[in-house]
Amino acid sequence: MTETAHQVATAAGTMPSVADLERMYWVMVTTTLADSRAQQEAKAGKLQAAFYPVRGMEAVCAALGAVLEPRDRLVSTYRNLGDVVAKGVPLKSIVAELYGRVDGVSKGKGGPMHLQDDEVGMTATTGVVGSGLPIAAGLGIAAQLDGDGKVVAVTFGDGATSIGAYHEGMNMAALWQLPVLFICQNNRWAEHTPLADYTAAPEFAQRAASYGMTARKVDGFDPIASWRALSEAVQAIRSGGGPVFLEFETYRLTGHTGTADYSYVPKDELARAMTRDPAPNFRTWLIDQGLVAAERLDAIEQEAESAVAEAFAFGAARPQPDVDQLHEDVFADKKLVLDLL
Amino acid sequence: MTTLQTATAVETEKMSAAVAMNSALDLAMAKDDKVVLLGEDIADPIGGVFKVTKGLSTKYGKGRVRATPIAEQSIVGAAVGLALGGYRPVAEIMFCDFLTLASDQLVNHAAKLRYMSGGQSSVPLTVRTVVGNSRFGAQHAQSLEAWFMHTPGIKVVMASTPTEAKGLLTSCVFDDDPCLFIEHIHLEYTNKEEVPTGEVTIPLGTAAIKRPGSDVTVITYGPAVPWSLQAAETLAEEGISVEVIDLRTLVPLDLETVLESVGRTRRAVVAHEATQFCGPGAELAARITEELFGELEAPVTRVGATYAPIPFAKSLRAIPDADDLVDAVRRITGQ
């Protein structure tokens, strides 16, 4: 794509700007690196936490980060690293929270399953599969009552499509035409069970459409296709079009947790998915299209590498919360808690 | 604003608890446009199966008073979302038994989000629900308040009079933490009293001495208050002076009032309609024993529902009444 053709496409809203492309690449590389590092630390016993890798989903996360505004709200799950990086949560605060340290985004009291940062609209993450959907519906009601065009996005894996909360949240959002963007990050595994073994109706977009909302399936390994679908959806929702459901087809490139056995995954399937590893493929594409020069991409990679190294050094070195934090924030008023002890 | 303690010459009207709570919600919605209601059948013309929200959707519109699908998980989940989005939602769960369907949102989310977020999130939601044997059978009758007392991060409130229902519900709506407000099916309509027509608030965590006495303290709340007072009346005729404390809120818990009273009477019975085994009375009995062991004249006794689902047949009685309490008091006073 020539520079001019790209400018025309950007103006038409069919392509991200160069700045957005670079930022998306940064999110993808940072997520890939931080994810691998967290897995290493977990395997080495240095990060004593349940960490859920996001490898394979980097493109969807990066594209989402590029289309949401800071005021838009995001509700995520425990497989959230890509989401929180993309939404703009500072990396040091993320990693300190992974370690349960006082400088973590939730003062070390939430942990990796509950990364949250109100400053950037990272409103909640849940450790319970599917529970984010009804919460997003409620945030959608709030946004609808506010009437200011905010969008609420909620991410979840394909495994969430089986649980009751999923159905209830989707039905409510469609019923009241709530400004909610449902993002199914389909990595084809529900914990350790493959898609074919847990549903006879694997066409999630089709199922979503039957609730009475716009729904479509997108190639989640492709950051540009993802960006386009998300961008269109956010525009439609912002202008009052009601909820949209997008299913992003990806593949989980690592085990369920940072330390889990992954030998049961069919080798050929995994190898095929690996050829689509989002960050390296995006790099090649950006260079081939003449949109971002190799040197610039090298610089972004170096920046990401040092940011990740610095964040892990920071996180591991910071102190754990003081014992007086134990009863803080159970209720707004700590005295009520002390009275019960 | 009226706090009960300072109420003087305020305008009142005769109200049932259902009407008093309707007034509380009406005033809260008029005062703060962030107050939003949601629940099954709560919009007009039905106005809720217990009529507590009657007229409010007509007055405030269906944007703020939302009749929901029959889907408890999303009712409470949406209330969590609304609260995170800066609103003060009041969700109605038709029967306490159906909290089982919403308990993930209440227990895992509402109660924990402030804590897990290191204080970033407030979840100022109120869940209103109803308990009491209602001739529907065992799935529409359970008093599950102990489950939620056992979950750090959620306040548990039960009123026993129309005025207190109004005052406590108002306090719940404007509280910055999640509150479970449990109503009783028989108290909704049966007792009527003069209730202030303006706003009433009762601070959460303040028990009320409903009848002073000197021989034994009965600690109770919600639907057990009327029959505890009835038992006290019977016992007075026998020369036993019973002090009746209405806890009004179970979390936070006004132990100070309880311990002061038992310190005087040196005998205590805890009475409630929840299952006695592992019920709220177990915690109270333990607390009283820990604090006042040397001063007690008798072991702390409990009167609660027996260990069985609530039976349908009238010949089978699981929930205690005034007679059971009278017996218990007689036992510990050596009568």
Side-chain angles (χ1 to χ4, degrees):
Chain A
M1 186 179 281
T2 66
E3 204 181 320
T4 330
H6 177 250
Q7 279 166 353
V8 172
T10 302
T14 57
M15 277 291 280
S17 66
V18 170
D20 279 346
L21 290 168
E22 289 184 355
R23 152 101 184 145
M24 283 165 64
Y25 187 62
W26 179 85
V27 169
M28 287 160 71
V29 174
T30 302
T31 302
T32 305
L33 292 172
D35 187 281
S36 304
R37 179 71 189 273
Q39 288 191 65
Q40 273 172 27
E41 298 291 304
K43 281 178 184 143
K46 291 181 194 161
L47 178 68
Q48 292 172 3
F51 176 77
Y52 296 85
V54 294
R55 293 280 287 112
M57 290 164 20
E58 294 94 326
V60 186
C61 300
L64 180 62
V67 302
L68 292 182
E69 296 174 10
R71 68 184 175 129
D72 293 330
R73 293 176 177 280
L74 177 57
V75 177
S76 183
T77 70
Y78 52 81
R79 202 178 295 287
N80 56 35
L81 183 64
D83 288 345
V84 298
V85 169
K87 195 72 174 80
V89 184
L91 196 58
K92 279 182 169 178
S93 313
I94 295 172
V95 177
E97 191 64 36
L98 300 187
Y99 281 103
R101 303 304 164 92
V102 70
D103 300 272
V105 76
S106 300
K107 301 177 185 165
K109 290 167 77 174
M113 277 194 154
H114 305 294
L115 294 173
Q116 170 179 336
D117 187 355
D118 285 358
E119 293 278 307
V120 296
M122 188 62 240
T123 302
T125 54
T126 174
V128 183
V129 171
S131 293
L133 283 91
I135 294 174
L139 284 161
I141 301 171
Q144 192 177 62
L145 290 169
D146 289 344
D148 59 2
K150 259 196 304 286
V151 170
V152 178
V154 55
T155 57
F156 47 87
D158 52 300
T161 61
S162 301
I163 207 162
Y166 173 88
H167 161 76
E168 292 190 21
M170 299 263 284
N171 184 50
M172 182 176 272
L175 174 69
W176 291 332
Q177 291 292 288
L178 301 174
V180 179
L181 172 54
F182 293 98
I183 299 162
C184 176
Q185 300 163 332
N186 180 357
N187 64 22
R188 306 193 69 80
W189 290 89
E191 300 203 5
H192 306 282
T193 302
L195 202 153
D197 287 359
Y198 70 77
T199 181
E203 291 299 328
F204 301 123
Q206 214 172 69
R207 268 208 248 165
S210 68
Y211 287 100
M213 67 175 81
T214 306
R216 55 180 282 220
K217 186 150 79 172
V218 185
D219 177 0
F221 279 126
D222 180 343
I224 299 302
S226 299
W227 182 90
R228 280 191 188 129
L230 287 162
S231 183
E232 269 173 37
V234 164
Q235 256 176 330
I237 295 167
R238 225 186 274 294
S239 57
V244 175
F245 177 98
L246 295 175
E247 175 196 348
F248 292 93
E249 291 188 290
T250 63
Y251 199 87
R252 200 175 69 204
L253 299 179
T254 52
H256 171 55
T257 69
T259 51
D261 172 30
Y262 206 36
S263 57
Y264 53 78
V265 168
K267 297 282 172 293
D268 54 333
E269 211 174 280
L270 184 58
R272 219 167 31 245
M274 270 299 184
T275 66
R276 306 222 44 213
D277 193 358
N281 278 291
F282 193 37
R283 180 190 162 96
T284 308
W285 185 85
L286 287 168
I287 296 168
D288 287 353
Q289 296 291 309
L291 293 171
V292 185
E295 296 72 28
R296 175 69 190 127
L297 295 170
D298 291 343
I300 291 172
E301 284 166 29
Q302 274 158 22
E303 197 190 309
E305 264 172 51
S306 34
V308 169
E310 210 180 303
F312 275 84
F314 173 82
R318 297 303 298 155
Q320 298 192 31
D322 199 73
V323 284
D324 70 2
Q325 276 293 309
L326 181 60
H327 297 114
E328 198 70 56
D329 293 322
V330 177
F331 290 122
D333 179 1
K334 186 175 179 178
K335 185 180 175 298
L336 299 183
V337 183
L338 301 180
D339 286 349
L340 293 175
L341 303 180
Chain B
M1 190 204 295
T2 308
T3 55
L4 273 189
Q5 291 81 353
T6 59
T8 49
V10 292
E11 194 185 320
T12 63
E13 257 173 43
K14 200 154 195 135
M15 298 185 199
S16 64
V19 172
M21 290 185 286
N22 180 277
S23 167
L25 294 172
D26 186 1
L27 291 167
M29 294 189 80
K31 179 178 171 177
D32 184 352
D33 62 11
K34 297 292 186 189
V35 177
V36 174
L37 315 185
L38 63 167
E40 292 156 17
D41 300 329
I42 67 165
D44 293 331
I46 181 85
V49 295
F50 298 109
K51 310 289 180 201
V52 173
T53 53
K54 185 90 180 158
L56 299 178
S57 69
T58 305
K59 190 165 174 185
Y60 297 101
K62 292 196 171 179
R64 286 180 69 196
V65 181
R66 291 176 183 247
T68 63
I70 301 174
E72 282 76 10
Q73 194 163 188
S74 64
I75 295 170
V76 178
V80 171
L82 271 158
L84 293 176
Y87 285 77
R88 292 192 173 277
V90 183
E92 177 173 310
I93 297 296
M94 200 179 289
F95 284 93
C96 186
D97 313 70
F98 307 163
L99 285 175
T100 53
L101 298 158
S103 56
D104 169 54
Q105 290 295 342
L106 204 50
V107 170
N108 292 325
H109 296 86
K112 292 177 176 54
L113 279 166
R114 178 188 296 282
Y115 196 81
M116 296 194 305
S117 67
Q120 293 180 76
S121 295
S122 271
V123 189
L125 67 78
T126 300
V127 173
R128 291 181 35 246
T129 194
V130 172
V131 297
N133 188 1
S134 49
R135 306 297 300 149
F136 289 109
Q139 296 173 341
H140 294 64
Q142 297 165 85
S143 294
L144 300 176
E145 56 270 23
W147 287 13
F148 299 95
M149 291 171 73
H150 200 66
T151 300
I154 184 159
K155 295 177 180 174
V156 182
V157 180
M158 281 183 91
S160 68
T161 70
T163 306
E164 291 180 336
K166 182 172 181 178
L168 292 165
L169 179 56
T170 304
S171 296
C172 287
V173 172
F174 291 107
D175 196 273
D176 286 336
D177 290 307
C179 295
L180 177 61
F181 183 87
I182 305 177
E183 302 160 18
H184 190 272
I185 197 160
H186 296 147
L187 296 183
E188 299 276 64
Y189 313 112
T190 47
N191 302 340
K192 289 186 183 175
E193 65 178 5
E194 290 294 328
V195 177
T197 52
E199 187 183 76
V200 184
T201 60
I202 297 171
L204 303 183
T206 57
I209 296 175
K210 290 290 169 74
R211 179 187 172 109
S214 54
D215 295 330
V216 56
T217 302
V218 170
I219 301 128
T220 185
Y221 59 86
V225 174
W227 55 256
S228 293
L229 290 167
Q230 199 188 319
E233 198 61 44
T234 305
L235 290 158
E237 288 162 19
E238 299 172 16
I240 302 171
S241 170
V242 177
E243 178 145 305
V244 178
I245 295 179
D246 181 350
L247 291 169
R248 306 197 293 197
T249 66
L250 297 167
V251 178
L253 187 60
D254 185 359
L255 274 171
E256 203 181 316
T257 298
V258 171
L259 295 174
E260 188 281 323
S261 172
V262 180
R264 276 188 283 109
T265 63
R266 305 170 76 179
R267 291 182 182 86
V269 182
V270 192
H272 55 59
E273 295 195 359
T275 303
Q276 182 171 308
F277 184 80
C278 284
E283 177 65 26
L284 280 150
R287 287 305 182 100
I288 294 166
T289 307
E290 282 166 5
E291 299 286 336
L292 300 171
F293 182 68
E295 291 161 59
L296 293 172
E297 295 281 355
V300 183
T301 300
R302 290 171 294 156
V303 173
T306 196
Y307 191 81
I310 305 301
F312 180 73
K314 284 190 166 177
S315 60
L316 303 175
R317 191 170 61 86
I319 297 175
D321 61 15
D323 291 343
D324 297 306
L325 181 55
V326 167
D327 288 347
V329 172
R330 283 184 189 142
R331 271 201 312 277
I332 64 163
T333 51
Q335 304 288 313

